[in-house]
Amino acid sequence: MFENLSVFEQRCQDIDERICDPAVIADRKQYAELQRERKNLMPIVEKYREYTETQAQLDEAKSLLQEGGLDRELRELAEEQLSEARDALETITEELKILLLPKDPNDDRNVIMEIRAGAGGEEAALFASVLFRMYAMYAELKGWKTEFLSANETELGGYKEISFAINGEGAYSRLKYESGVHRVQRVPETETQGRIHTSTCTVAVLPEADDVEIEINPKDLAIDTFRSSGAGGQHVNKTSSAIRITHLPTGMVVECQDERSQFKNKDKAMKILRSRLFEQKQQEQDAQVAAERRSQVGTGDRSERIRTYNYPQGRMSDHRIGLTLYRLEDLLNGNIDEVLDALIAADRAAKMQERIGEEQNG
């Protein structure tokens, strides 16, 4: 099944030689791409080496038993080696199959997340702050860093919209399934009749792009400064340090007013703009791929309702995979690995089924 995997090993050797070439080192883009490719190939290469070593142990045990003439103790040792090698090979084979599934090239990236209040007014804005807290606490549990980028805060401490970066190994691979509409059902504090209200927030998860991948011509930007405004406190200042950047070719507008420094606000706004342009580029490429080849777990479309958080029942339901958990408070405290693991498993299963179908159809 894996006879051709030696080409991955050869490719890694080729990359190792190329990244030592001064001309490649001087080309930042090429060097970064080769490093990224090597990083993605190494798990397959290492697992393949484990596979070939275990296969050799299996063959050795078989050979010993077929030769015969072994005393009882040696025969028992050979049979034990054969059994262990078979079990190990079965496990390694399944792990290799998963590693060989089409990999999202963005999986190892940091992410920029944007949460926007939808239907429900102030209650939706308050729920946006709950979601931000959930992701920030999850990042903390994973040892990742959360960087506040921009926010439009309400009087009651909610967010009409908030942008933040999560920096950490594999952040995008875990959080990319969070894109879509999140619905909350609860009784607002301001509700005197005890009625349950339904509100929504939209979450967008963008793979962070660096300046090597997305080059932005300064002539394509209109940059305006203005005074920060907000609910009060540290977000309001008396100088024009807030930044609004308009990308003229696409009409994209990014604002950042969180920092007192105009330079820092511009830097953060450019980070958001770069990642939005990168996502747009990705979407254009994805549009060229047949619909049936897209992830079965979800399209990542921001208009797709993916999850409901029901406070009276203490329930979170993910509609894409039919998962319901009755420990809402724990999940909102950032303990969402069970949900993310289930989404990843469903995605892998769908891709595996797709590959099996392709092999059966020749």
Side-chain angles (χ1 to χ4, degrees):
M1 185 185 297
F2 304 126
E3 294 85 358
N4 298 323
L5 293 189
S6 58
V7 297
F8 288 91
E9 205 164 18
Q10 182 59 50
R11 177 60 181 162
C12 274
Q13 290 171 4
D14 292 343
I15 291 172
D16 286 342
E17 290 176 11
R18 290 186 66 192
I19 58 179
C20 294
D21 184 338
V24 173
I25 294 170
D27 185 336
R28 285 178 61 205
K29 186 173 183 179
Q30 187 182 10
Y31 185 78
E33 286 174 353
L34 287 170
Q35 287 281 28
R36 194 175 293 119
E37 184 184 355
R38 188 185 188 282
K39 187 177 179 181
N40 289 334
L41 287 175
M42 279 312 295
I44 298 173
V45 170
E46 287 168 359
K47 191 59 66 176
Y48 172 62
R49 287 170 181 165
E50 195 180 338
Y51 173 84
T52 54
E53 287 169 14
T54 308
Q55 183 67 61
Q57 291 168 9
L58 183 71
D59 293 341
E60 181 187 25
K62 277 183 181 177
S63 179
L64 284 170
L65 290 168
Q66 285 169 359
E67 284 175 9
L70 300 174
D71 62 32
R72 184 181 162 206
E73 189 175 347
L74 280 173
R75 183 171 185 82
E76 285 178 354
L77 281 171
E79 286 174 346
E80 185 181 347
Q81 180 178 324
L82 181 68
S83 176
E84 287 177 355
R86 272 183 179 150
D87 289 344
L89 203 63
E90 190 176 325
T91 301
I92 293 166
T93 297
E94 290 307 309
E95 290 171 344
L96 254 179
K97 283 180 181 177
I98 289 170
L99 285 170
L100 289 169
L101 288 173
K103 190 175 186 298
D104 187 333
N106 296 320
D107 275 352
D108 294 329
R109 293 179 186 272
N110 299 326
V111 300
I112 287 179
M113 299 188 72
E114 299 179 338
I115 303 173
R116 289 183 175 81
E122 185 63 50
E123 178 62 12
L126 288 169
F127 184 57
S129 69
V130 171
L131 289 176
F132 167 64
R133 177 180 176 273
M134 179 178 79
Y135 294 126
M137 291 184 77
Y138 178 68
E140 188 176 351
L141 290 169
K142 302 299 281 188
W144 297 340
K145 180 186 174 187
T146 302
E147 180 188 0
F148 198 82
L149 296 178
S150 179
N152 186 348
E153 203 170 348
T154 66
E155 293 289 341
L156 297 181
Y159 294 109
K160 290 180 181 177
E161 56 184 75
I162 177 170
S163 299
F164 55 99
I166 293 182
N167 304 322
E169 184 73 28
Y172 186 75
S173 71
R174 303 290 297 171
L175 293 168
K176 62 183 176 182
Y177 303 101
E178 295 301 291
S179 284
V181 176
H182 295 240
R183 182 175 69 171
V184 62
Q185 296 171 327
R186 64 181 180 181
V187 179
E189 291 180 15
T190 53
E191 171 57 61
T192 56
Q193 304 296 318
R195 291 173 298 188
I196 297 171
H197 287 225
T198 298
S199 306
T200 62
C201 285
T202 301
V203 175
V205 183
L206 317 177
E208 186 179 87
D210 57 43
D211 55 1
V212 174
E213 295 162 309
I214 299 294
E215 295 179 8
I216 299 174
N217 189 335
K219 294 178 181 178
D220 290 339
L221 302 178
I223 301 176
D224 302 305
T225 59
F226 59 99
R227 288 188 182 182
S228 294
S229 61
Q234 63 180 5
H235 295 291
V236 178
N237 60 47
K238 296 177 182 178
T239 59
S240 297
S241 62
I243 291 286
R244 181 186 297 109
I245 299 177
T246 304
H247 185 246
L248 300 175
T250 61
M252 277 186 196
V253 179
V254 179
E255 289 184 3
C256 191
Q257 55 179 313
D258 182 56
E259 299 284 350
R260 292 186 181 277
S261 159
Q262 190 179 109
F263 175 78
K264 287 182 180 178
N265 279 328
K266 182 181 177 183
D267 190 49
K268 288 185 174 184
M270 286 298 292
K271 180 182 283 193
I272 297 171
L273 176 62
R274 195 173 285 115
S275 293
R276 284 190 191 171
L277 288 170
F278 182 74
E279 185 203 29
Q280 184 184 65
K281 180 181 172 184
Q282 294 285 114
Q283 287 177 341
E284 288 170 358
Q285 290 172 354
D286 291 345
Q288 298 170 9
V289 180
E292 66 270 12
R293 290 187 61 84
R294 291 188 190 136
S295 165
Q296 301 296 304
V297 169
T299 62
D301 191 322
R302 298 179 201 181
S303 63
E304 179 187 16
R305 195 188 77 197
I306 63 167
R307 196 175 294 151
T308 294
Y309 306 75
N310 186 297
Y311 275 68
Q313 296 176 15
R315 167 177 63 83
M316 176 195 276
S317 296
D318 196 289
H319 308 298
R320 295 164 293 180
I321 54 174
L323 176 68
T324 295
L325 299 172
Y326 287 91
R327 50 181 188 86
L328 182 60
E329 186 177 349
D330 184 47
L331 293 161
L332 292 176
N333 282 333
N335 296 302
I336 55 174
D337 265 329
E338 184 178 353
V339 182
L340 302 182
D341 286 342
L343 288 163
I344 290 168
D347 192 26
R348 283 176 175 168
K351 286 174 179 171
M352 186 73 77
Q353 197 61 44
E354 184 183 313
R355 170 163 284 194
I356 292 168
E358 287 175 353
E359 288 172 355
Q360 289 174 344
N361 293 328

